[in-house]
Amino acid sequence: MPWTLYRYILKDLVRLLVVSSAVLVLVMAFAVAIRPLSEGLLGPMALVRFVLYTIPTLLGYVLPFAGAFAGTLVFARMAGDNEITACRASGMSYIMVLLPAALLGVVMWWGMLYLSNFVVPSFYRAAEQLIAPDIADAFVNQLGKERSVRFEDWIVYADDVYRLAMGLVNPAVSMKPADTFILEGVAVGMLDDQGRMQSDNTAERAEVFVYEKQDARWLYVRLLNAMRYDAHNGQLLSFDSISLPPRELQTLFKDDPRFLSFGRLHALARDPDAYDAVKQRRQDLAAAVEAELALRMFREAVDSARGGGARMIGSVPGDSYEIVAPQTHRPTHRQTRLEMLGPGQRKVTITYLENGAPVRRDSAEQAFVSVHTGGPEQRPRFVLELHRVDVSDVNIVGRGTQREAIELPSMFLNEDVTVTPPAVVVNGQPQPAPPGKVRVGQLSSAQLLAMVTAGADLWAAESLRNRAERLARLIGSLSRKIDTQLNERAASATCCLLVLMLGAVLSLRLGDRMPLVIFFWSFLLSIVAIVLTYSGSNLAEDAATVSLGIAVIWSGCALVAATVLLNLWLLARN
């Protein structure tokens, strides 16, 4: 074997590959850094770290072109200097001459597989975390800059926003907040599952509380001196305060299958609940199921205790409420809350007790019960909204104060909302149901979906059905994305090997042409192969075109391989 010749060729190939890759990577890394730099997310030192973190993530895009460039220049120079003719005259075949390029291509293939599956994901995460701001700060900053922000099913507007020093207390939650903000001139639009306006809330001022517990964070908003317009019944009511449902703050850095390691992808295939988007949808469905079951328990408690009254626990130790409602009703337009009615002279009565002694009694013609799930309390929280209410102190004889509408402090059931976990099949393996009852939030996605689809009463609830269908679609989409990424990474690594060989073979085939002309054809086919690979990824993520997408992913490699084999055949003929 002509080892001296092979070392000579490999030395030139590696040198050109390293130089061209370094130039392309540095140019692209600084181009990627322009946007976060212009948005003020990177300082001088952070910019250097961001560029260093970004370099490995760009190698997958750079190496095919750098390989084609190195293969073209090295073998074009050898052909121009008649070194290929000398090799052929000594009895070497074209295959033997191309062996160093094939060896380097195999090394690049293994290197690309290792980079894309084990190195790039960690560097991508480090780069994203470097520029991702805290989500609470991002919420406040966007309000300060643009005056409005879309936050899940809220649209929030504020004239002014500022952070407040510690000391502000949220009466709905007993624990101390980690951070507090004040909004001035506030409007909050609340949307339903179809994105339609459900209610419009305006207030002079709003208190925003951020709570932290066990690596989770929640946002509470309390509107003061507020007005609420209900789009369904056209009512416009004023309140001293309105507590909005708590929202869990998700990190701005989300899992993306494109930038997850090989081990992480296989772990997600076995357990989709570990994926950020699935986890969020699962929590959303679990919260909706828990709210539905809690509302049913509340209604059952009120209906079965009309003679004496249903007892609820207050948010402050020792506080409790006794509720008497002549009638209860679930509105068809808003099934996520319960309506309590007091027809004629009979009214809905809520008695507030401190350590078992009655203190205040509210008598209302109409009351609405909403359930807020999630938050640091980890149990359903009931919010009662009373309309046309008479507020009286039980210790003072006389007529009470007449109010158009009031919202009572949060209250809780005397028992937890628990269910029996259903038996499910995961990845073809039956999973027996664990003994006993558990909280709804402890159920896996598979158990939640089985519970909702198997229960006709739960499936009949449109909000639960929509959430279950979205969760099932997301899990199916995640499975397709994992398969797509594994195929895409293998195809990209194979493309690096093939385009290096393409540049070398075309240089031998078109030895009388200028190197730039040869590189143009190598570059063009590399572009086509990469475009086909990433276009196929988009097709494969659609359930209707999975097989077609996988075929398109590999079609780019097939095109380059066919071109290499065709030119080798033409060389052999000559």
Side-chain angles (χ1 to χ4, degrees):
M1 296 290 286
W3 298 113
T4 302
L5 176 64
Y6 287 173
R7 286 196 299 269
Y8 168 71
I9 296 174
L10 275 174
K11 180 181 177 182
D12 277 358
L13 284 173
V14 172
R15 177 171 54 83
L16 282 172
L17 179 68
V18 170
V19 171
S20 56
S21 297
V23 172
L24 288 173
V25 161
L26 285 175
V27 171
M28 293 178 66
F30 278 102
V32 171
I34 289 176
R35 181 174 178 181
L37 188 64
S38 63
E39 293 176 354
L41 299 176
L42 294 173
M45 293 304 298
L47 173 62
V48 175
R49 290 170 56 198
F50 181 79
V51 170
L52 293 176
Y53 289 152
T54 305
I55 286 174
T57 69
L58 297 173
L59 285 175
Y61 303 97
V62 165
L63 281 178
F65 302 108
F69 182 74
T72 300
L73 288 192
V74 169
F75 284 90
R77 184 194 59 76
M78 291 181 66
D81 293 344
N82 294 320
E83 293 178 2
I84 300 299
T85 303
C87 291
R88 291 288 290 149
S90 67
M92 294 181 64
S93 66
Y94 285 116
I95 299 296
M96 292 184 66
V97 174
L98 291 169
L99 275 180
L103 176 62
L104 181 60
V106 171
V107 172
M108 290 175 61
W109 181 72
W110 277 109
M112 275 292 296
L113 282 179
Y114 184 80
L115 279 172
S116 60
N117 285 299
F118 301 103
V119 177
V120 168
S122 58
F123 278 90
Y124 173 76
R125 183 175 290 271
E128 283 292 299
Q129 289 177 339
L130 189 64
I131 64 173
D134 179 83
I135 191 168
D137 290 336
F139 175 78
V140 172
N141 290 338
Q142 188 171 351
L143 271 180
K145 291 180 180 179
E146 303 179 12
R147 305 301 182 194
S148 65
V149 60
R150 173 75 180 266
F151 187 68
E152 296 185 8
D153 56 350
W154 297 353
I155 299 178
V156 184
Y157 171 88
D159 290 332
D160 193 17
V161 55
Y162 55 89
R163 180 179 264 108
L164 194 66
M166 294 299 159
L168 197 61
V169 176
N170 183 3
V173 182
S174 56
M175 64 184 296
K176 184 179 179 181
D179 209 349
T180 53
F181 301 92
I182 296 296
L183 310 182
E184 301 284 357
V186 187
V188 181
M190 306 189 70
L191 310 177
D192 60 16
D193 291 339
Q194 284 73 42
R196 298 171 300 194
M197 186 65 70
Q198 182 173 283
S199 65
D200 186 16
N201 306 273
T202 57
E204 296 179 5
R205 178 185 173 106
E207 299 170 343
V208 180
F209 303 90
V210 179
Y211 294 92
E212 296 180 353
K213 185 178 181 180
Q214 298 177 349
D215 298 328
R217 306 178 74 202
W218 286 272
L219 186 76
Y220 279 77
V221 178
R222 184 166 177 256
L223 306 178
L224 306 178
N225 296 325
M227 299 284 292
R228 169 178 288 168
Y229 174 73
D230 193 315
H232 292 288
N233 55 30
Q235 286 184 326
L236 180 64
L237 302 171
S238 62
F239 297 84
D240 291 336
S241 66
I242 297 176
S243 297
L244 301 183
R247 288 289 181 269
E248 184 173 359
L249 295 175
Q250 305 291 334
T251 175
L252 286 178
F253 181 81
K254 300 292 185 182
D255 280 342
D256 188 332
R258 294 176 300 166
F259 304 104
L260 295 179
S261 67
F262 182 81
R264 175 74 170 153
L265 288 176
H266 275 270
L268 288 181
R270 295 190 301 268
D271 180 21
D273 288 352
Y275 185 56
D276 285 343
V278 173
K279 179 182 177 182
Q280 187 174 357
R281 288 281 175 84
R282 181 191 66 81
Q283 291 174 339
D284 183 44
L285 177 58
V289 171
E290 187 175 38
E292 175 65 23
L293 297 178
L295 203 57
R296 293 181 184 184
M297 292 173 64
F298 181 93
R299 184 179 187 180
E300 182 180 349
V302 172
D303 289 345
S304 62
R306 286 200 175 115
R311 184 65 65 94
M312 302 287 290
I313 301 173
S315 57
V316 178
D319 289 1
S320 61
Y321 295 86
E322 193 174 85
I323 302 172
V324 177
Q327 292 181 9
T328 58
H329 170 65
R330 293 288 293 273
T332 56
H333 61 278
R334 287 184 67 179
Q335 297 182 352
T336 56
R337 67 177 187 173
L338 177 69
E339 182 180 9
M340 299 189 296
L341 301 171
Q345 299 299 318
R346 304 170 63 195
K347 293 188 176 183
V348 178
T349 304
I350 293 92
T351 304
Y352 167 59
L353 303 95
E354 289 184 355
N355 298 318
V359 175
R360 194 186 74 188
R361 182 172 290 111
D362 302 325
S363 301
E365 296 180 13
Q366 185 182 41
F368 292 97
V369 184
S370 301
V371 185
H372 297 174
T373 54
E377 305 101 337
Q378 297 294 319
R379 52 177 177 164
R381 180 166 59 97
F382 293 85
V383 176
L384 271 65
E385 182 182 304
L386 309 183
H387 295 186
R388 297 178 296 278
V389 58
D390 182 10
V391 181
S392 60
D393 191 324
V394 297
N395 299 314
I396 299 176
V397 179
R399 183 178 177 85
T401 303
Q402 300 292 322
R403 300 290 299 276
E404 179 185 4
I406 63 171
E407 183 178 278
L408 297 181
S410 301
M411 56 187 74
F412 306 88
L413 289 169
N414 285 300
E415 57 183 320
D416 289 332
V417 180
T418 57
V419 296
T420 302
V424 295
V425 177
V426 179
N427 295 326
Q429 299 294 325
Q431 303 290 325
K437 293 191 173 185
V438 298
R439 295 280 304 276
V440 178
Q442 295 175 294
L443 298 178
S444 66
S445 293
Q447 291 172 327
L448 277 171
L449 290 173
M451 179 180 173
V452 173
T453 54
D457 54 343
L458 293 178
W459 187 253
E462 184 180 0
S463 62
L464 297 184
R465 186 170 62 252
N466 292 339
R467 285 177 168 84
E469 290 173 347
R470 286 198 296 266
L471 176 58
R473 286 196 300 269
L474 181 60
I475 293 175
S477 173
L478 174 62
S479 178
R480 293 190 298 274
K481 286 182 177 180
I482 291 173
D483 291 339
T484 299
Q485 285 308 309
L486 294 177
N487 279 277
E488 180 187 307
R489 292 174 185 182
S492 297
T494 306
C495 186
C496 283
L497 164 63
L498 292 174
V499 297
L500 174 60
M501 294 302 299
L502 176 66
V505 171
L506 286 180
S507 295
L508 300 182
R509 175 82 174 84
L510 307 173
D512 57 337
R513 306 287 183 89
M514 291 180 60
L516 286 180
V517 174
I518 302 172
F519 177 65
F520 168 76
W521 292 110
S522 302
F523 179 82
L524 182 62
L525 283 173
S526 301
I527 286 286
V528 171
I530 291 175
V531 169
L532 286 173
T533 299
Y534 290 103
S535 299
S537 298
N538 295 330
L539 285 173
E541 291 178 5
D542 190 334
T545 56
V546 177
S547 300
L548 175 62
I550 298 297
V552 173
I553 287 175
W554 286 99
S555 64
C557 293
L559 174 63
V560 178
T563 306
V564 171
L565 292 175
L566 175 63
N567 282 275
L568 275 175
W569 179 72
L570 293 174
L571 278 172
R573 286 186 61 190
N574 295 329

